Amino acid sequence: MGNLILPPSLTRELPYAVTAQLSELPQEAQREFFEEYNRNARTTSIGYILHLLVFGTHYAYLNQWILQFLYWFTAGGFGIWWFIDLFRIPSMIEAHNNKIADQTLRHVLVKYRYGLKNPTTADSISSSSYSSAKGSRFMLRTPYDLQKKDTGKDNSINLEKRSISKIRPIAPRILDSPEADPMRLSIINIKAGYLVDFDLTTWETVQEWQYDWDNGNSGKEFRLVNEKETLHLYIRNEGTQLHTILARKVNIHSIDRELEEEIQTNLRPPSVLNHQEIDYFRENTKTGWRHELTAKTSANKLTIWEYFDETMTFFMRIEQLEGQTYKATVGEVISPFEFSNVLPKE
């Protein structure tokens, strides 16, 4: 973070993933980020003033007009909603500002052509088209874990890697992770046994897996539960960019009745799948090992196929564990700043 010229008060407020990328940008880009962020960020004090003195207009302040009209229509949830928001406003302001920081950073990255996976695409993208991008979808216009081709490498090295990959690993890889601030944990710090807020609901992390792929990359999966449903959170930290996908488990036969048979026959699923009137296109095929970190069981060899729709927004993942066990999940790319209040359960 030594290259940051932003005020210390602002860097303490920003998420780690944002400050890490800002530190790699020139001073001009950092100043532009600072000016744009300050124009759009919100403050807790004004949020309380609007909540207490201006008939609860704090949702309008955060550009959440649907919630604002619902709040007015129910008279603040007959007072209950009004009382609860007395304690929620700081976290609401923080979540809003995190989204603003994410959007502002991506605007600066596009303009200065930093951190893009496909620089030629950036040449055709203007700042006006960027501003219409939703969440972190733009960052994932190229899939978040696209496998790299081993061009220029000796074939004997590749053969050696393939033979090593068949050996069952004793333990998962040790992954580099940023130092956690216990007072400002983010989704990158989540572990089994943690709580996290998403979509106005608190979720408990009850299971954690690590995937170590044969191409040298790794990723995490978490099972999140509340009283009504279960979600699967996929996380990959690629350099200073954090990519998150939230999905639900579905029956593999609900995608295609013949899907399991086709995988067994052709050793892979079709290149295009349709589920609930959305076309998904196969992007990645990865092989590696799955470690269940909560139960600390032995690793399982698996192959996965990842699909995205044409907008790179909706996501499908099909897993085949050794022994012909299948798992399918369908979900959506989510900005990491949509998660808040990451805390240990106890």
Side-chain angles (χ1 to χ4, degrees), residues 51 71 76 79-88:
H51 177 59
Y71 183 91
I80 298 175
W81 191 354
W82 179 91
F83 179 76
I84 293 174
D85 278 358
L86 286 174
F87 304 95
R88 293 184 61 246

Side-chain angles (χ1 to χ4, degrees), residues 286-322:
K286 293 186 284 190
T287 59
W289 298 90
R290 187 186 76 171
H291 304 265
E292 186 173 355
L293 304 184
T294 43
K296 296 183 178 179
T297 56
S298 59
N300 297 107
K301 185 71 175 177
L302 84 163
T303 302
I304 72 162
W305 296 273
E306 291 179 333
Y307 291 73
F308 289 87
D309 76 326
E310 60 182 5
T311 67
M312 305 306 296
T313 298
F314 296 101
F315 167 85
M316 177 187 292
R317 170 166 160 160
I318 299 172
E319 298 182 8
Q320 180 185 19
L321 284 173
E322 55 186 352

Side-chain angles (χ1 to χ4, degrees), residues 117-133:
K117 293 175 180 287
N118 187 358
T120 59
T121 305
D123 294 335
S124 62
I125 300 177
S126 65
S127 59
S128 60
S129 64
Y130 165 79
S131 62
S132 63

Side-chain angles (χ1 to χ4, degrees), residues 45-255:
S45 58
I46 295 180
Y48 273 114
I49 291 173
L50 296 175
H51 177 59
L52 297 172
L53 303 179
V54 195
F55 193 54
T57 53
H58 51 296
Y59 285 105
Y61 182 53
L62 299 176
N63 295 323
Q64 298 180 17
W65 286 100
I66 295 178
L67 285 176
Q68 183 64 74
F69 286 118
L70 183 62
Y71 183 91
W72 284 336
F73 182 76
T74 61
F78 304 103
I80 298 175
W81 191 354
W82 179 91
F83 179 76
I84 293 174
D85 278 358
L86 286 174
F87 304 95
R88 293 184 61 246
I89 284 179
S91 62
M92 291 164 60
I93 296 294
E94 180 181 4
H96 174 84
N97 287 346
N98 284 345
K99 292 180 183 179
I100 294 299
D102 181 31
Q103 294 170 1
T104 305
L105 174 63
R106 287 184 287 114
H107 174 84
V108 172
L109 288 176
V110 170
K111 182 174 181 179
Y112 289 87
R113 295 175 174 83
Y114 277 78
L116 296 178
K117 293 175 180 287
N118 187 358
T120 59
T121 305
D123 294 335
S124 62
I125 300 177
S126 65
S127 59
S128 60
S129 64
Y130 165 79
S131 62
S132 63
K134 180 181 179 183
S136 62
R137 276 53 165 173
F138 172 75
M139 298 174 72
L140 296 179
R141 196 171 294 274
T142 299
Y144 76 102
D145 193 23
L146 187 62
Q147 294 190 38
K148 298 178 181 178
K149 296 180 180 179
D150 294 325
T151 56
K153 291 187 177 181
D154 188 80
N155 289 333
S156 62
I157 297 177
N158 292 331
L159 290 173
E160 181 181 356
K161 285 185 177 181
R162 282 196 290 268
S163 63
I164 293 175
S165 68
K166 297 179 181 178
I167 303 174
R168 189 179 301 274
I170 299 176
R173 295 179 186 140
I174 299 176
L175 305 181
D176 293 331
S177 58
E179 184 177 351
D181 181 352
M183 302 302 296
R184 298 180 66 242
L185 295 177
S186 65
I187 194 65
I188 197 174
N189 309 120
I190 195 171
K191 299 178 182 178
Y194 274 44
L195 302 176
V196 59
D197 286 349
F198 171 75
D199 196 22
L200 302 179
T201 304
T202 299
W203 302 80
E204 180 182 354
T205 309
V206 296
Q207 266 182 305
E208 178 180 359
W209 295 271
Q210 179 171 317
Y211 296 88
D212 293 333
W213 307 117
D214 294 343
N215 64 2
N217 295 329
S218 295
K220 288 287 190 76
E221 177 187 353
F222 301 89
R223 187 161 69 92
L224 309 180
V225 300
N226 62 13
E227 296 178 352
K228 298 181 179 179
E229 59 180 327
T230 297
L231 296 177
H232 292 262
L233 172 65
Y234 299 103
I235 294 181
R236 174 169 174 76
N237 188 29
E238 190 173 273
T240 56
Q241 294 184 1
L242 183 66
H243 305 305
T244 52
I245 292 176
L246 207 54
R248 289 177 172 83
K249 187 176 179 180
V250 299
N251 189 305
I252 189 172
H253 300 106
S254 69
I255 301 172

